[in-house]
Structures are given as structure tokens and as C-alpha cells.
Amino acid sequence: MQEIAPVAPDAQDVVVAAYRYQSGQPAQALDIHHLPAHDPLKDGFIWIGLKDPSEATLREVGAQLGLPDNAVEELIAPHRRPKLLEFSNCLIVVAVTLGLKDLRPLFGTTQILIAHGLLLTVRRGSNSSYLELRSRLESTPALLERGSDFVASELLDLIVDQYQTCLEQTEKAVEAIEQQFLIRGFKENDVRRIYRLRRDLLRVYNAVTPLAELSRRLSRIELAYVDAESRAYFGEVADRIARTSEFINSLRQALAFAFEGGLMIGQMQQTDTTRKLAAWAAILAVPTAVAGIYGMNFKFMPELEWTLGYPLALGLMGSVCGFLYWKFKKAKWL
């Protein structure tokens, strides 16, 4: 590895872990500013985890590890979608991480650099911890002996677990919306909430789905830094991501059905209101017409001189109105 002058650590840098794992020996803590020379055939492999590192730190670590300049540039550059990048002496996998805050998705990235005897992870915008995975692997040295490519597959599997955890919370919110729909229908704010949730699920789908194809490439294509035994693990990760994508689609369809159901109920309510208004308009048209005729004030109207003309007119109006009310009630318009 190239010896360079160490850079003073930035206040924002977080070195999550830096260890060397050798068969039959306890993990050896490392200082990322003074990394020792390393032979992967004799010295096991190094696992360095960084969280929100500065550009200076990445350049320093990259120079000490002998990484090519273009690989270091990729580690520095921000990414929004999963990527698989192969360089002369390493392989970089970019995965999008997912978190939730008030049921809104929070995206981050984890860059996993795989090389012979080396695993470097760079996390940005992610509050998830890999401590539990690291502890499980350290408690089973046989797993660490499988190499950095196997540990990388375990990291991707952990990221998929985080997807599942967030989507399970979202599923509960979707079920609550469906229950609300069945009980009292939707209001204007509910429609906005459904639209926002569907939009968020689409964003999650677009961020998650490309990782499935990326994992399939790792499982099928012969790459210098992924051995044949580890390819099967990446295949399992690809299958899990595919199932996660199907789960996201099912949640979006459930929201679509709820939204369409809310629209249908709203239309039915409007139709019912229109029928009632039409029925009452027909009923009230009868006395309006009769009163209009008698209100024309013509001089030669024999009914005006009848003794029973007024009660007969009222009786006629009441009878016709009552008959119309009965018919509309029978037709369930009222």
C-alpha cells in the first residue's frame, strides 16, 4: 500500500469500524490514517466502515489502500440509484438505503467496495447500523473466512431487511386507510394522503428495483472479486428484492383500489343527492304550477267564484304531491 501523510480527521467523519480479520486470531483494530501493509493471501481481509466521510478522508484511505483514482472519485460522488462499477483492482456496489420518518421515506446510500482481502463500506444519509451483522459474523469466524464478497452479500441482505421493515410499517398505514374507507369514506385530506403515499411508494419502487438486476449480475456474471460460491448468495438477495418490489406494487394497488372505491362512493352519494333534489323539484312543481295558474288574475275564471274552489285546489295539490312522494319513496329516490 502507498504510504502518504495522514490527513487530520474531519469533524464530520465517522469511522464506524476498521478491523483486520485473520483466521484463528481475534479482530485487530486499525487506524484508517495509518493502515498497515496487507497481503490478502496471508493476512485475511480488512473491513473498514465509514459514515458520511469527507472527501479528504476518502482520498487518504483510497491512497493507502492502493485504489485507482476513478474508483475513489466514484466513492466521493453522490449517487441516487443502485450501480455496479468494476475497476482494475476492485468492484463497487452502490445500494440505496431506506428509512421512514412520519411514514415519509428517507433515502440514503451505501457504497460497498469489494477487493481481494478488502471490504470498504461508505454510508451516507443512513441511520441504520451494521453492528448486529458485524457481531454475528465475528461470532462465527467461519463466515468471515469466506471473504469480502460473502460479507458484501450479507450487507445487501441486511439492506433488504431494512426495506421489509419500512414496508411493513407502510402496510399498517395502508390497512388503516382501508379501514377508514370502509367505516366513513374519504374526505379531501384523505385523498391528499393517499396520493402522497402512492407517490412515496413509487419513489421507493424506483430506488429499490434496480438493485435486483444488479444482484442478478453479481450472481451470474463471472467477476474477478466475486467467487462462484458467493454468487449464490447474491442470487438469493436478487430474489428477495424482486419479492420486495412485488410487495410495493401490491401496496400501491391496494391504495389505488381504495382511492377508486372512495371515488365510486362519492359518485353514488352525488347521484343519490341529485335524485332527491329531482324528486323534491317534481313534487314542488305541482303546487307551483297550480298557484301560478290561479295567480294569473284573469277576470273570467269560473273557479274563482266557486265556494269550494280554494279547498279543492289545496286538496288537489296535496293529493298530487302525496302521490308523487309515495312513488319516489317506493323508487328509493327519497
Side-chain angles (χ1 to χ4, degrees), residues 8-314:
D10 190 277
Q12 296 180 346
D13 290 347
V14 177
V15 180
V16 179
Y19 292 98
R20 173 188 280 171
Y21 298 98
Q22 293 177 272
S23 179
Q25 298 184 20
Q28 176 188 355
L30 302 176
D31 180 2
I32 66 167
H33 302 291
H34 300 88
L35 293 174
H38 179 74
D39 183 355
L41 298 178
K42 299 178 181 179
D43 301 330
F45 84 96
I46 293 175
W47 183 357
I48 300 175
L50 303 176
K51 186 177 187 299
D52 298 319
S54 66
E55 179 179 343
T57 297
L58 286 174
R59 292 190 183 280
E60 177 192 359
V61 173
Q64 292 189 78
L65 296 175
L67 301 178
D69 292 339
N70 51 357
V72 175
E73 293 297 333
E74 285 295 337
L75 291 175
I76 295 172
H79 298 278
R80 294 186 178 182
R81 294 178 66 83
K83 281 186 178 181
L84 177 60
L85 304 166
E86 190 174 8
F87 300 95
S88 59
N89 63 350
C90 64
L91 178 73
I92 295 179
V93 178
V94 180
V96 176
T97 58
L98 177 63
L100 284 183
K101 183 178 180 181
D102 299 329
L103 290 178
R104 300 304 304 274
L106 298 176
F107 297 102
T109 58
T110 293
Q111 295 167 294
I112 305 172
L113 185 144
I114 309 169
H116 291 310
L118 172 65
L119 184 70
L120 173 64
T121 60
V122 180
R123 285 189 287 151
R124 292 187 177 91
S126 173
N127 293 324
S128 58
S129 174
Y130 302 153
L131 179 60
E132 183 178 349
L133 172 63
R134 186 184 296 273
S135 299
R136 178 171 66 84
L137 294 176
E138 289 177 351
S139 64
T140 312
L143 296 179
L144 289 173
E145 291 177 3
R146 296 179 182 178
S148 56
D149 50 356
F150 169 76
V151 178
S153 70
E154 289 290 302
L155 283 171
L156 290 178
D157 195 63
L158 178 62
I159 290 174
V160 178
D161 286 338
Q162 295 167 359
Y163 293 161
Q164 291 289 343
T165 300
C166 294
L167 290 174
E168 286 172 0
Q169 298 179 37
T170 305
E171 182 183 24
K172 293 179 181 178
V174 173
E175 290 176 350
I177 290 174
E178 291 177 331
Q179 289 293 329
Q180 174 183 314
F181 159 68
L182 294 174
I183 294 174
R184 65 176 181 84
F186 289 141
K187 296 182 179 179
E188 183 177 351
N189 290 335
D190 299 324
V191 174
R192 291 195 180 97
R193 181 184 174 193
I194 291 175
Y195 176 80
R196 185 182 65 186
L197 194 54
R198 287 198 69 199
R199 178 61 182 170
D200 288 343
L201 284 172
L202 179 60
R203 292 172 60 203
V204 172
Y205 179 85
N206 291 334
V208 168
T209 302
L211 190 58
E213 183 59 31
L214 182 149
S215 299
R216 285 195 186 92
R217 288 179 59 191
L218 289 170
S219 67
R220 295 175 182 174
I221 300 176
E222 294 185 5
L223 299 171
Y225 308 102
V226 179
D227 59 33
E229 294 180 357
S230 296
R231 288 181 201 144
Y233 298 107
F234 287 107
E236 292 180 1
V237 172
D239 292 339
R240 291 196 62 199
I241 298 172
R243 290 193 294 271
T244 301
S245 298
E246 293 175 358
F247 186 31
I248 296 172
N249 279 330
S250 68
L251 292 178
R252 295 189 71 241
Q253 289 178 359
L255 288 173
F257 292 152
F259 183 75
E260 292 173 0
L263 289 179
M264 292 178 64
I265 288 180
Q267 292 175 355
M268 291 174 63
Q269 291 174 343
Q270 291 178 356
T271 301
D272 186 59
T273 301
T274 302
R275 287 178 177 179
K276 289 180 179 180
L277 292 175
W280 282 113
I283 292 172
L284 295 177
V286 174
T288 301
V290 174
I293 292 173
Y294 281 93
M296 289 187 294
N297 294 324
F298 285 108
K299 181 176 181 180
F300 299 103
M301 295 181 68
E303 298 87 352
L304 297 176
E305 298 178 359
W306 293 357
T307 303
L308 299 177
Y310 180 68
L312 284 174
L314 292 180

